[in-house]
Amino acid sequence: MKKIINKSENVVEEMLEGMVKAHPQYLKRVEDSNVLVRQNSPVKGKVALVSGGGSGHEPAHSGFVGLGMLDGAVAGEVFTSPTPEQILKGIKAVDGGAGVLLIIKNYSGDVMNFEMASELAQMEGIQVEQVIVNDDVAVEDSTYTVGRRGIAGTILVHKITGAAAEKGFDLDDVKRVAEKTIKNVRTMGMSLIPCIVPAVGKPSFEIGEDEMEIGLGIHGEPGIRKEKIKTADQIAAILLNNILDDMKLEKDDEVAVMVNGLGGTPLMELYIVNNEVNKLLSEKGIKIYKTIVGDYMTSLEMAGASISLLKLDDELKELLDSKADTPAFRQL
Amino acid sequence: MKKIINKSENVVEEMLEGMVKAHPQYLKRVEDSNVLVRQNSPVKGKVALVSGGGSGHEPAHSGFVGLGMLDGAVAGEVFTSPTPEQILKGIKAVDGGAGVLLIIKNYSGDVMNFEMASELAQMEGIQVEQVIVNDDVAVEDSTYTVGRRGIAGTILVHKITGAAAEKGFDLDDVKRVAEKTIKNVRTMGMSLIPCIVPAVGKPSFEIGEDEMEIGLGIHGEPGIRKEKIKTADQIAAILLNNILDDMKLEKDDEVAVMVNGLGGTPLMELYIVNNEVNKLLSEKGIKIYKTIVGDYMTSLEMAGASISLLKLDDELKELLDSKADTPAFRQL
C-alpha cells in the first residue's frame, strides 16, 4: 500500500485539520466532532443544508461547504457512515431558524444514521427534512444499499439545492427543488484500478491487467461486470447508453453533464471522455447547457470515471448558474 | 498500461477538443493549432500572457486561460515542447496591442522554442517579453534543463502576473511582477508511483514497492534519490526543509502555500500533507497568508505531491487575492 499518510487510524482527523488550515476563510470545525461548517454558520433565516458520509470521497462533502452550496458536512471514517451523534452536531451547528435539509446518499448506514439524527434534532425543536440521492443506474440493489446508490450526481444536488436556499426559498421549497434534481439526475461509472482503504491495506476487489470494472460503486464495492479494457469512446458510449436507457431524454432536451474522476485518473483522460460524451449527445440532438469535468466525488486513489446527466428546466438552469464559493467548487 | 484513451497518438487532440467542449464560455481554439485562448481574445489594450509546454500536466496550462490569469496556452505533445510555429500562433491570437509576456517553464526545449517564437513575433511587429520559471529546488541541472526546473510554482506566477495584466499594468510592469514572483517562489516534490507516457507504454523510471522518489520532475525524469517510504509528516518536513534551506525566510514573513497533487494522489493525502506543512511553518513563526491545495501541475497519473512556498509582499498579496475566472482556478 503506497500512500502519503501517517497512521491509518488518523487519516480523517488529519485530513479535516488540513482542510480547515487550507480554507479558514470558508470552514470551521464544530468542537469535538468531525463536522465542518461554514465560517459564518449559522446563517440566520436561511434554510441550512447538511450532507456527509464516509470519508475517502474528497472533495465530497466538506469541499462543498460554503456560499451557494452546503452549510455543513459530516465526515465518517473512511467509507463508513458518520454516527447520529456527529450528524446531530452538524444539524445544530448550522440551524439558523429556517430549518435544515439533509442530503443523504443512498447507503443503508447513511440513511439510518441521518434519519436517526433527524429525529433527535426534531426532538430538540429543529425543523428537519431529508432527501435521498440515488443517481447510480448501474445496479438496483448493491452491497451497501437497498435501491440505487447515491454517487457523483449528489454534487449537482448540492449545487442546485444550495442555490435555492441561498435565494431564500423556504424549507418545503428547497426540498421540492432537491427532489426534482434527484428525479432528473443519473450517473454511471467504471474503473481501471481499485482503491485501498488505509486501515485494510489491500484492494477491496481485483481487476485484471487488461480488464476494467463497469458500474462500480464509490466504496470499493464491485460493479456489474468485468470486461476487457475498451477505448475511451467505447467506455463513454457504454456509460452514456446505460444512463439514456434509464432517463429517456428527447431531442432538444437540455442537460448538464458531469464527467467525474474517481481520484487517480488524469484530467487528460476525463477531457477525452467528455469529448466523446459531447459528440454522442449532440448526435442525438440533446443540448448540453453546462459541463463540469474534474474530481468531485472520488474513491480514494481509484482510477476511473463516472458520467452524470441532469435534465434541466428553466428553474434548474437558473439555480445551476448562480454564484457558488466553496473550497472545491466556485462559480462567479 | 491502463488508461482511458483511444489511440495514443490522438490524446492531445481529443483532450483539447474535450476541454473546449467543456468550457466554451472560457476557451476557443485557434484554427489549425493546439492553442487555446480566451473566448474574448484578443483583449484590446491589455498585456496578454501566453504559457504552455508539453501536455500531460493538466489542468496546466489551458485550464488557467481566462479572466485574471492567462490569455493563451500552447500545448505540445505529451511531455514535448510545442513548436515555435504553434507558439507564434498563440502570440498572434492574443496580442491586443499592449504586448505579450511569455511565461516559460525552464526546460531546454520550451525555452528554445518560446524564444524562437518571440523573435518571429517581434519581426511581425508584436512587442514580446518573456520570463522563465525555475522554482524547483531539487536539482541544479536535470535531464531536461540547464539550471533549475519550472514546476508547480508556475501556477502562482500565472495567477499573480495575470492579475497585474488585468489591472492594466504595462508590459514592463507585468514583467517586473512576474520576475518578482519567480524570485520569491520555491517548490519541491516527491512521488510514490511514476507515470506512463501513452505513446511509450511503460514507466520512465522504476520505484520499488516500499520506496519513494524525492525531488522528481514532472516529465517522469527521476529525482535526486530513492528512499524507503516515510510518513506524510516526514515527507512534508523533507520537502519543506529543502525549500527553506534555499529561500531563507524569517519570522513573521508571509507566504502563500501550494500543496499540489501530481495527478494520481487522493485529495485526502494532500490535506494530510498540508496539515503538517501548516504546523511546521507556524512553529517557525512564518505566517501563512493563503493556501491552495489540489491538482494544478500534474504528471499524468503519477502519485505524489509537491509543496510550493511563495514569499509575499503587499503588492503580491493584492494580486494573489484579485478575481480569477478560468476552468481550473476561480476566485470570487
Side-chain angles (χ1 to χ4, degrees):
Chain A
M1 180 177 66
K2 293 189 123 179
K3 288 183 187 292
I4 308 175
I5 61 173
N6 296 301
K7 291 183 179 164
S8 63
E9 60 267 35
N10 295 342
V11 294
V12 172
E13 171 63 26
E14 293 172 357
M15 172 188 72
L16 293 174
E17 283 301 298
M19 285 196 82
V20 172
K21 287 174 181 169
H23 310 294
Q25 71 275 44
Y26 294 103
L27 302 173
K28 64 183 177 188
R29 188 163 177 178
V30 176
E31 214 176 323
D32 295 326
S33 82
N34 286 345
V35 180
L36 302 188
V37 298
R38 284 194 208 190
Q39 190 46 253
N40 63 339
S41 285
V43 183
K44 205 166 151 40
K46 187 186 85 69
V47 172
L49 304 186
V50 172
S51 192
S55 293
H57 306 302
E58 291 70 29
H61 295 273
S62 34
F64 304 111
V65 170
L67 180 84
M69 293 184 81
L70 301 177
D71 293 87
V74 189
E77 290 302 310
V78 175
F79 297 169
T80 304
S81 297
T83 63
E85 290 70 22
Q86 293 275 324
I87 300 164
L88 180 62
K89 284 186 184 184
I91 294 170
K92 291 166 78 168
V94 301
D95 176 42
V100 177
L101 181 73
L102 307 180
I103 299 174
I104 311 169
K105 297 197 299 302
N106 190 33
Y107 296 97
S108 305
D110 283 353
V111 172
M112 192 173 68
N113 292 354
F114 274 84
E115 287 187 347
M116 199 176 299
S118 168
E119 285 166 26
L120 294 168
Q122 289 176 60
M123 284 164 58
E124 298 195 28
I126 301 172
Q127 206 187 348
V128 185
E129 293 284 345
Q130 62 249 0
V131 295
I132 297 176
V133 186
N134 58 353
D135 54 318
D136 186 359
V137 301
V139 289
E140 199 49 49
D141 298 304
S142 81
T143 320
Y144 299 110
T145 56
V146 178
R148 289 175 168 184
R149 298 175 289 214
I151 51 175
T154 310
I155 309 308
L156 295 166
V157 179
H158 292 346
K159 171 67 193 78
I160 286 174
T161 312
E166 212 69 59
K167 280 179 194 290
F169 288 27
D170 68 16
L171 183 57
D172 284 349
D173 221 22
V174 171
K175 186 179 179 185
R176 176 189 60 77
V177 166
E179 286 179 335
K180 178 161 74 170
T181 309
I182 291 167
K183 187 171 150 282
N184 285 9
V185 68
R186 299 286 188 287
T187 301
M188 188 156 157
M190 54 72 61
S191 90
L192 296 177
I193 296 170
C195 63
I196 298 177
V197 175
V200 176
K202 60 185 174 60
S204 52
F205 61 99
E206 298 287 338
I207 313 181
E209 255 313 299
D210 59 348
E211 285 181 331
M212 61 179 184
E213 180 94 21
I214 295 283
L216 80 161
I218 54 172
H219 300 92
E221 65 268 38
I224 47 175
R225 63 175 183 273
K226 287 186 171 59
E227 291 189 6
K228 293 281 172 209
I229 295 182
K230 295 202 162 49
T231 66
D233 288 357
Q234 290 168 329
I235 289 169
I238 291 169
L239 301 182
L240 203 58
N241 287 336
N242 270 281
I243 293 169
L244 292 174
D245 280 351
D246 195 81
M247 79 189 296
K248 318 245 175 279
L249 290 173
E250 292 176 15
K251 191 166 174 302
D252 292 331
D253 276 346
E254 289 186 275
V255 295
V257 173
M258 173 180 267
V259 178
N260 173 63
L262 291 173
T265 304
L267 199 48
M268 171 184 274
E269 298 179 18
L270 301 182
Y271 280 119
I272 290 172
V273 170
N274 183 58
N275 186 44
E276 184 67 9
V277 169
N278 189 292
K279 179 171 156 263
L280 294 172
L281 290 174
S282 301
E283 283 170 3
K284 290 177 198 296
I286 295 162
K287 292 183 177 162
I288 298 166
Y289 181 76
K290 177 167 258 174
T291 303
I292 298 171
V293 177
D295 282 12
Y296 293 98
M297 177 70 80
T298 66
S299 187
L300 296 168
E301 71 280 9
M302 186 179 282
S306 67
I307 298 171
S308 302
L309 293 189
L310 169 64
K311 185 178 168 179
L312 296 168
D313 62 16
D314 286 345
E315 182 184 46
L316 295 182
K317 282 196 278 188
E318 189 191 336
L319 295 169
L320 184 60
D321 281 344
S322 74
K323 196 161 83 169
D325 193 14
T326 74
F329 188 88
R330 294 173 202 163
Q331 191 165 267
L332 276 79
Chain B
M1 179 177 67
K2 292 189 124 179
K3 289 182 187 288
I4 307 175
I5 61 173
N6 296 300
K7 291 183 179 164
S8 62
E9 60 266 36
N10 294 343
V11 293
V12 173
E13 171 63 26
E14 292 172 356
M15 171 188 72
L16 293 174
E17 282 302 297
M19 286 196 81
V20 171
K21 287 174 182 169
H23 311 293
Q25 70 275 45
Y26 294 104
L27 302 173
K28 65 183 177 188
R29 188 163 177 179
V30 176
E31 214 177 322
D32 294 326
S33 82
N34 286 345
V35 180
L36 301 189
V37 299
R38 285 193 207 190
Q39 189 47 252
N40 63 339
S41 286
V43 183
K44 205 166 150 38
K46 187 186 84 71
V47 171
L49 304 186
V50 173
S51 191
S55 293
H57 306 303
E58 292 69 30
H61 296 274
S62 34
F64 304 110
V65 170
L67 180 83
M69 292 185 83
L70 301 177
D71 293 84
V74 189
E77 289 303 310
V78 175
F79 297 169
T80 303
S81 298
T83 62
E85 290 71 23
Q86 293 275 324
I87 301 164
L88 179 62
K89 284 185 185 184
I91 294 170
K92 290 166 79 169
V94 299
D95 176 43
V100 178
L101 182 73
L102 307 179
I103 300 174
I104 311 168
K105 299 197 299 301
N106 189 33
Y107 295 97
S108 305
D110 283 353
V111 173
M112 193 172 68
N113 291 354
F114 274 84
E115 287 188 344
M116 199 174 299
S118 167
E119 285 167 25
L120 294 169
Q122 289 175 60
M123 284 164 58
E124 299 195 27
I126 301 172
Q127 205 186 349
V128 185
E129 293 284 345
Q130 62 248 358
V131 294
I132 297 176
V133 186
N134 58 352
D135 54 317
D136 185 359
V137 302
V139 289
E140 198 49 50
D141 298 305
S142 81
T143 320
Y144 299 109
T145 55
V146 178
R148 290 176 167 182
R149 298 175 290 213
I151 53 176
T154 310
I155 309 308
L156 296 165
V157 179
H158 292 346
K159 170 67 192 79
I160 286 174
T161 312
E166 212 69 58
K167 279 180 194 289
F169 288 27
D170 68 16
L171 183 57
D172 283 350
D173 220 22
V174 171
K175 185 180 179 182
R176 175 188 61 76
V177 166
E179 287 180 333
K180 179 161 71 171
T181 309
I182 291 168
K183 188 172 149 282
N184 284 9
V185 67
R186 300 287 188 285
T187 301
M188 189 155 155
M190 54 72 61
S191 91
L192 296 177
I193 295 171
C195 63
I196 298 177
V197 175
V200 176
K202 60 184 175 59
S204 52
F205 62 98
E206 297 288 339
I207 313 181
E209 254 314 299
D210 59 347
E211 285 181 330
M212 60 179 185
E213 180 93 23
I214 295 282
L216 81 160
I218 54 171
H219 299 91
E221 65 267 41
I224 48 176
R225 64 175 184 272
K226 288 187 170 59
E227 290 188 7
K228 293 281 171 211
I229 294 183
K230 295 201 162 52
T231 66
D233 287 358
Q234 290 168 328
I235 290 169
I238 291 170
L239 301 182
L240 202 58
N241 287 336
N242 270 280
I243 293 169
L244 291 174
D245 280 351
D246 196 82
M247 80 190 295
K248 315 246 175 280
L249 290 173
E250 292 176 15
K251 191 166 174 300
D252 293 331
D253 277 346
E254 289 186 275
V255 296
V257 173
M258 173 180 267
V259 179
N260 173 62
L262 291 173
T265 305
L267 199 48
M268 170 184 274
E269 299 179 19
L270 302 182
Y271 280 119
I272 291 173
V273 170
N274 184 58
N275 186 44
E276 184 68 9
V277 169
N278 189 291
K279 178 170 156 262
L280 293 172
L281 290 174
S282 301
E283 283 170 3
K284 289 177 199 296
I286 295 163
K287 293 183 175 160
I288 298 166
Y289 181 75
K290 176 165 258 174
T291 302
I292 298 171
V293 177
D295 282 12
Y296 293 97
M297 177 71 79
T298 65
S299 187
L300 296 168
E301 70 280 9
M302 185 179 282
S306 66
I307 298 171
S308 303
L309 293 189
L310 169 64
K311 185 179 169 179
L312 296 168
D313 61 16
D314 287 344
E315 182 183 46
L316 295 183
K317 282 197 278 189
E318 189 192 335
L319 295 169
L320 184 60
D321 281 343
S322 74
K323 195 160 83 169
D325 193 14
T326 75
F329 188 88
R330 294 172 202 164
Q331 191 166 267
L332 276 78

